[in-house]
Amino acid sequence: MNVEYINPFIEASQTVLKQTGNIDAKLGEISLKSSPYGSDCVVIIVGLTGKIRGQAIFSMAKDVALGIASAMMGGMQVTELDELSKSALSELTNMILGNAATILYGKGIGIEITPPSFLMGDNLQISQSKMKTICIPLIFDKERQMEIDISVIE
């Protein structure tokens, strides 16, 4: 997969997390994932169409999702993933991918995004058919992390 496609997702993620929740996300070690793979209990999937087609899958533990939602709501303590916090997290992914699409467009790579799908559950398994998956871990608060898995067909 072309690194030119990955860097906009990293840049957009770090920028949007900082702007919306004052979260400083450090880039972890990028890796390839083989299908199927396990995921954390909170997953948000956004489809990508256009010059590159595939999906961006945001996954995180429930406590990380609660922390991000709390930060996005100005520090108001969020203790459960209710409709408001799920909506905030889904909007976060929209903003990240909207920014990534803008960066890619500036490089001559036009993409569009689908509305996000929010999933919760234990032992989630993700299977990507005929796509390579690049895992981009974003680490904050020393031990907490959110992973962005980018699976595309060029």
Side-chain angles (χ1 to χ4, degrees), residues 27 40 42 47 80-81 85 89 94 97 107 113 121 123 137 144:
L27 181 61
D40 283 320
V42 175
E80 69 176 88
L81 289 173
S85 56
L89 292 165
N94 264 340
L97 289 177
K107 298 175 182 283
I113 61 174
N123 300 315
R144 297 174 153 202

Side-chain angles (χ1 to χ4, degrees), residues 7-128:
N7 287 335
F9 293 97
I10 296 168
E11 181 183 335
S13 299
Q14 291 175 320
T15 299
V16 171
L17 283 165
K18 183 67 174 173
Q19 290 173 344
T20 60
N22 200 28
I23 296 170
D24 289 314
K26 306 284 187 249
L27 181 61
E29 187 173 331
I30 297 173
S31 62
L32 277 174
K33 283 189 174 179
S34 298
S35 183
Y37 59 89
S39 184
D40 283 320
C41 68
V42 175
V43 174
I44 304 168
I45 302 172
V46 181
L48 308 170
T49 61
K51 169 98 181 191
I52 53 176
R53 298 179 337 227
Q55 297 173 327
I57 301 171
F58 296 77
S59 62
M60 64 205 84
K62 185 177 180 182
D63 66 318
V64 173
L66 291 169
I68 292 171
S70 293
M72 289 179 70
M73 295 182 194
M76 179 182 84
Q77 190 64 31
V78 176
T79 57
E80 69 176 88
L81 289 173
D82 57 12
E83 289 308 309
L84 182 61
S85 56
K86 289 178 190 175
S87 176
L89 292 165
S90 294
E91 185 55 30
L92 174 73
T93 63
N94 264 340
M95 293 167 65
I96 289 170
L97 289 177
N99 282 4
T102 300
I103 295 166
L104 286 165
Y105 183 78
K107 298 175 182 283
I109 303 165
I111 67 165
E112 293 183 22
I113 61 174
T114 66
S117 297
F118 191 101
L119 306 166
M120 278 188 351
D122 294 325
N123 300 315
L124 294 174
Q125 292 287 311
I126 298 174
S127 294
Q128 299 291 14

